[in-house]
Amino acid sequence: MPGNFNAKQDMNIMPLDTVLDTVFLPSGQGRVIVMDAPPSIPGLFARLVSLSMVRPATPAPDTILENACVVYPGVTVDPDRVSRFRQVCGYDMDRAHVPPSFIQSLFIPIMSRYISSSFFPVSPMGLIQTAQSFELVRPVEPGFKLDLYCRILDMTRTEKGLVSRFLMEAAMAGGDPAARAFDEAEEKDLVWQGIATYLTRSKIRGPRAKKQPPQDTPLPVKEVIEVPGNTGRRYAAVSRDVNPHHLYTWTARPMGFKQPIAHGIWSMARAGASLGKAAGYPELTGMDGYLKLPIFMPARITLGYAFSETDAGFELRDEATGVPHLKGSFRFSSTAI
């Protein structure tokens, strides 16, 4: 529950490799920005492109990271949207509760608002999600209204580039959400909380340390998953994550990809759908996902996993080559829902 998920201490969301000389932490009096509607897609892309021309990939050492929180109050968990999410991610259609990965998708507008704001000091273009971790505090049903909160935890310079970690919180709607923006988790009536980790690649001066490649022993393959070429478009329609590299070949190539790639959170949700079924639909308490190599669509991928009493290690790999796309853990209670 909230006390078990200490975002400020959890540094295992992504291996930080060699941490260089600067870790940026938010400071100062908390600033709250309240959204009343999601940003328009054309206007958002225009702003992101223009900001990428003037903001650096890495902040200067004397940069002050503002302590800011974006709040999106009263977001309805739309039953039709939940149903379409279940379809595209492979969840059973007759379950009562909302897939926890669906709640992650609600943060697309609020994340977009955050990285396009004046208090985000680096270029919003080129952010690559490398990990996602979440805890489900309690099950959510379609029709619930939620207040969403997003703020940055830290930025860290590593030998691969700048790592930015964001705290995301979803609470039952009510009261004055802006006044609760910086409250502790226990005071917000949370239903879900997570950390999203992003990498901004940048050139690092100096020699890089040579490392032994990590041992990579595949888990037992339990399922082969077909990923049709339109998966990115179907997921974008329900998640509203319409980044061009997920849609078509002709929109992916200008972004540096030979084919469209699957959304990282889709791959995490798709794995979660199969893991929940294999475990007998227990009460999910949390998942961690570490995004590795992209899934170029169309694709055939394998899901491997190994269960213990209340958790499972899992991975998605390319069926033909065995290269990893996603590795993570799936945590649950002994209670079926």
Side-chain angles (χ1 to χ4, degrees):
M1 300 312 133
N4 297 330
F5 185 70
N6 192 331
K8 293 182 179 179
Q9 295 179 7
D10 184 359
M11 293 298 291
N12 296 317
I13 305 306
M14 172 187 164
L16 293 182
D17 300 298
T18 301
V19 176
L20 300 183
D21 56 358
T22 309
V23 177
F24 301 91
L25 298 172
S27 62
Q29 184 175 0
R31 174 185 176 188
V32 179
I33 296 87
V34 180
M35 293 175 55
D36 57 7
S40 70
I41 298 300
L44 174 64
F45 272 112
R47 179 166 175 77
L48 294 179
V49 170
S50 63
L51 288 173
S52 70
M53 298 177 181
V54 296
R55 288 185 184 171
T58 301
D62 60 350
T63 297
I64 297 175
L65 193 59
E66 186 171 355
N67 191 23
C69 181
V70 178
V71 181
Y72 193 4
V75 177
T76 300
V77 179
D78 178 63
D80 177 66
R81 189 175 166 193
V82 172
S83 179
R84 291 186 291 122
F85 184 91
R86 286 193 177 108
Q87 286 182 322
V88 73
C89 296
Y91 287 93
D92 282 358
M93 300 300 293
D94 59 353
R95 310 305 299 178
H97 296 112
V98 173
S101 295
F102 174 83
I103 301 174
Q104 164 70 28
S105 73
L106 298 177
F107 283 87
I108 297 298
I110 195 171
M111 269 292 298
S112 301
R113 177 70 175 84
Y114 196 103
I115 65 174
S116 61
S117 297
S118 60
F119 43 80
F120 188 65
V122 298
S123 171
M125 300 295 281
L127 284 171
I128 304 167
Q129 187 163 16
T130 56
Q132 176 68 47
S133 180
F134 70 77
E135 295 287 343
L136 182 67
V137 181
R138 62 167 164 160
V140 174
E141 296 182 6
F144 276 17
K145 282 187 177 292
L146 304 176
D147 294 331
L148 306 181
Y149 303 85
C150 178
R151 53 193 170 100
I152 198 160
L153 288 174
D154 49 48
M155 288 180 165
T156 305
R157 291 182 70 236
T158 76
E159 62 181 13
K160 290 186 177 180
L162 184 73
V163 173
S164 301
R165 300 192 310 144
F166 296 86
L167 174 65
M168 301 173 174
E169 298 174 306
M172 293 297 295
D176 182 359
R180 298 190 298 175
F182 292 95
D183 285 352
E184 294 298 323
E186 294 82 356
E187 302 171 6
K188 282 182 177 170
D189 196 12
L190 290 188
V191 299
W192 182 101
Q193 55 187 344
I195 295 176
T197 304
Y198 290 83
L199 174 69
T200 303
R201 295 192 182 279
S202 58
K203 294 180 180 179
I204 303 297
R205 294 180 179 178
R208 294 192 177 192
K210 292 184 179 180
K211 298 179 181 179
Q212 292 293 110
Q215 187 175 1
D216 188 25
T217 304
L219 293 170
V221 173
K222 304 292 187 178
E223 183 180 354
V224 177
I225 300 171
E226 296 279 354
V227 187
N230 67 347
T231 301
R233 298 191 294 276
R234 293 178 62 214
Y235 184 76
V238 68
S239 70
R240 298 169 186 166
D241 184 350
V242 293
N243 280 317
H245 52 280
H246 297 306
L247 305 179
Y248 301 93
T249 298
W250 63 270
T251 57
R253 284 181 175 169
M255 307 296 290
F257 298 99
K258 62 181 180 180
Q259 293 166 248
I261 63 173
H263 294 74
I265 299 305
W266 173 85
S267 63
M268 193 168 168
R270 181 63 187 84
S274 288
L275 289 163
K277 183 176 181 180
Y281 302 107
E283 181 178 351
L284 180 65
T285 58
M287 285 184 74
D288 300 321
Y290 306 89
L291 302 169
K292 304 295 184 179
L293 298 174
I295 299 172
F296 290 100
M297 302 177 290
R300 282 172 61 91
I301 58 177
T302 61
L303 171 64
Y305 55 81
F307 277 97
S308 63
E309 186 176 351
T310 57
D311 59 51
F314 71 91
E315 62 186 15
L316 295 176
R317 292 178 179 267
D318 182 85
E319 184 190 38
T321 66
V323 299
H325 297 300
L326 170 70
K327 294 188 177 186
S329 64
F330 176 87
R331 302 182 298 280
F332 53 91
S333 74
S334 57
T335 305
I337 59 173

